[in-house]
Amino acid sequence: GHMKSVSTLNKPNVSLVMMPKAGKLTAIERKLLNSILLSSARQLREYRALHSQDPSNTHLYSALADELLDTVEVGKSNLKSALRKHVLALRRAVIDWEAPDAKSGVVWENLSMLSEARFEIRNGSLHVLWALPPKINEALSDYQEFHFTKLDLEKISRLKSYTAVALYEICVRYKNNFRKDGKGERITNASPPEWWVDALTNIVPKTNKQTGQPVRREWRKVKNEAVKKAIEEINAVTDLDITLTEKKTGKAVSLVQFEISLKKPESREIKSSHFEMIKSGICLGLTETQIASGIERTSVEQVGLG
């Protein structure tokens, strides 16, 4: 098979908060979008190195279906057959993208995520081809580090619900954001509950026929049905521990915010039997992590043979 690829996506901050306007995205589709952005960013760099300029906006990126699915789901083999459905859902859904600090409001209005998508079989393998909307291309080719959030797609692949994926991405963005009083707690933006309902659910709000205003689900319901589970999920399988805080005005919740703490990395004992192998692997140009995760996935013997 192909090598497990690097899974760190520099995701443009402007593309972290997605407010659904049409169509419905699943957790898998949101993760697939990250995978597509990761692949696009890599191809963008390669194109630049060759041509000293960015590709045109009609430029089609392409990738092996398997490669795109690598960072989407852990141990799921049936994803490929549903890939067409997932890509088309991304193509059809319409999103308002908000700046993640919730004060800036909408950055891109009514933008679909892919401006084109198609499939081809090349040398017997399924390839996906896609074009990105100009604004997303622009954000990906931005040079300024602080406009990006580093997401580890391997960690996100462990999350099952849409709300967990959406919340985790926002929390990663803020994990180095401390309180003004220097207390050292890491916190997200504090925003009205309606903002969080839109940012954390994949459901397009219904519209009130009389007023034309969106009718959102109540925060209380969204919290009990989706957000609490998402917090449990994030705390169980990722590098973050998050807690929800609510500020009230009278009885009503007026602001919602999440506090973030970083888990201590597990200290890794290297077994002496692995040590020799890691030494010889490093001579062959492999990294310690590649060898260790190989051993974890299979066994010392298999990695030794490899």
Side-chain angles (χ1 to χ4, degrees), residues 179-190:
R179 285 189 185 281
K180 300 275 186 290
D181 57 16
K183 281 278 197 304
E185 287 146 304
R186 303 168 155 91
I187 46 168
T188 65
N189 48 308

Side-chain angles (χ1 to χ4, degrees), residues 239-251:
D239 51 337
L240 302 183
D241 269 316
I242 62 180
T243 41
L244 162 71
T245 53
E246 296 176 321
K247 293 190 177 66
K248 291 194 167 172
T249 309
K251 285 200 170 144

Side-chain angles (χ1 to χ4, degrees), residues 34-213:
N34 282 339
S35 183
I36 284 173
L37 292 176
L38 178 68
S39 181
S40 305
R42 197 190 62 238
Q43 293 178 55
L44 197 61
R45 287 194 299 277
E46 288 165 2
Y47 189 97
R48 230 184 228 156
L50 277 172
H51 306 280
S52 330
Q53 62 181 34
D54 281 354
S56 78
N57 282 319
T58 52
H59 177 75
L60 285 178
Y61 299 98
S62 71
L64 273 167
D66 288 334
E67 240 166 68
L68 286 181
L69 293 174
D70 246 4
T71 50
V72 172
E73 202 81 337
V74 183
K76 274 271 166 72
S77 55
N78 59 348
L79 261 185
K80 204 160 157 185
S81 57
L83 182 65
R84 193 174 296 256
K85 183 185 88 185
H86 294 311
V87 170
L88 290 176
L90 285 177
R91 173 78 193 82
R92 291 196 188 113
V94 176
I95 299 289
D96 276 1
W97 307 74
E98 293 240 358
D101 49 26
K103 287 187 221 15
S104 316
V106 178
V107 199
W108 301 325
E109 205 154 17
N110 287 341
L111 191 62
S112 57
M113 283 149 279
L114 304 175
S115 47
E116 196 184 324
R118 59 172 191 260
F119 297 84
E120 280 176 15
I121 303 284
R122 297 182 187 166
N123 311 330
S125 301
L126 180 64
H127 282 71
V128 186
L129 286 77
W130 68 90
L132 294 175
K135 289 169 177 168
I136 296 184
N137 269 331
E138 233 164 81
L140 276 182
S141 61
D142 184 344
Y143 282 110
Q144 299 182 315
E145 276 290 300
F146 60 87
H147 292 164
F148 292 94
T149 293
K150 270 193 187 333
L151 293 180
D152 181 343
L153 299 192
E154 195 274 319
K155 289 196 176 67
I156 293 179
S157 72
R158 303 171 198 165
L159 298 170
K160 293 280 176 273
S161 73
Y162 181 91
T163 302
V165 176
L167 180 56
Y168 179 76
E169 290 190 14
I170 293 172
C171 287
V172 173
R173 157 91 165 94
Y174 285 109
K175 71 178 185 192
N176 299 320
N177 187 36
F178 297 106
R179 285 189 185 281
K180 300 275 186 290
D181 57 16
K183 281 278 197 304
E185 287 146 304
R186 303 168 155 91
I187 46 168
T188 65
N189 48 308
S191 299
E194 303 75 44
W195 188 89
W196 288 103
V197 169
D198 284 352
L200 299 181
T201 58
N202 54 353
I203 301 156
V204 181
K206 293 187 168 56
T207 309
N208 178 325
K209 295 274 192 295
Q210 268 76 48
T211 63
Q213 289 304 305

